[in-house]
Amino acid sequence: MDELQKKNINKTDLHFFRYCEDNFGINRGVYNTIDQWFYKKDIHCITERRLYIIEFLKCAFGPDKGSDKFGKGRGKVTSRLHDFWIQKTKIL
């Protein structure tokens, strides 16, 4: 983890959300869904969970950004999270 990433990971919740909002264009609802999803996957350590959040967002958006990437309606974010998790666990 480089210094910039370490700095972002250790920000307050509001500032970490704003980092995600600025860099990936997600809104608070999408952020909360992602955070809760990883928490339910037993990633309880906040710094570890934030690393997963950033990794997921980089994977989900690539060079693009914006909440509309997940589409309208329920389940779009969670289905992308599920796909990400399957790929992540295959690597481990």
Side-chain angles (χ1 to χ4, degrees):
M1 175 179 357
D2 64 24
E3 287 302 312
L4 180 60
Q5 197 172 32
K6 188 182 287 186
K7 181 181 174 185
N8 288 321
I9 294 299
N10 290 300
K11 289 182 174 188
T12 65
D13 188 53
L14 177 61
H15 289 98
F16 182 73
F17 160 69
R18 287 187 179 152
Y19 165 79
C20 293
E21 180 182 43
D22 292 345
N23 287 279
F24 303 103
I26 62 169
N27 62 38
R28 188 68 181 197
V30 170
Y31 170 78
N32 288 339
T33 299
I34 295 166
D35 188 39
Q36 182 179 18
W37 195 90
F38 284 120
Y39 185 84
K40 287 181 177 181
K41 290 292 184 185
D42 293 328
I43 303 171
H44 297 148
C45 174
I46 188 71
T47 54
E48 184 181 1
R49 195 165 63 246
R50 287 179 175 182
L51 287 170
Y52 272 94
I53 290 169
I54 291 171
E55 188 176 349
F56 167 71
L57 291 171
K58 285 180 178 179
C59 179
F61 289 106
D64 302 327
K65 71 177 189 177
S67 295
D68 60 335
K69 180 82 171 191
F70 295 115
K72 300 285 184 198
R74 302 184 84 186
K76 301 293 183 178
V77 176
T78 53
S79 68
R80 296 288 298 271
L81 282 161
H82 180 73
D83 293 344
F84 171 80
W85 191 254
I86 289 170
Q87 291 301 315
K88 183 80 174 164
T89 55
K90 283 182 181 178
I91 294 170
L92 301 175

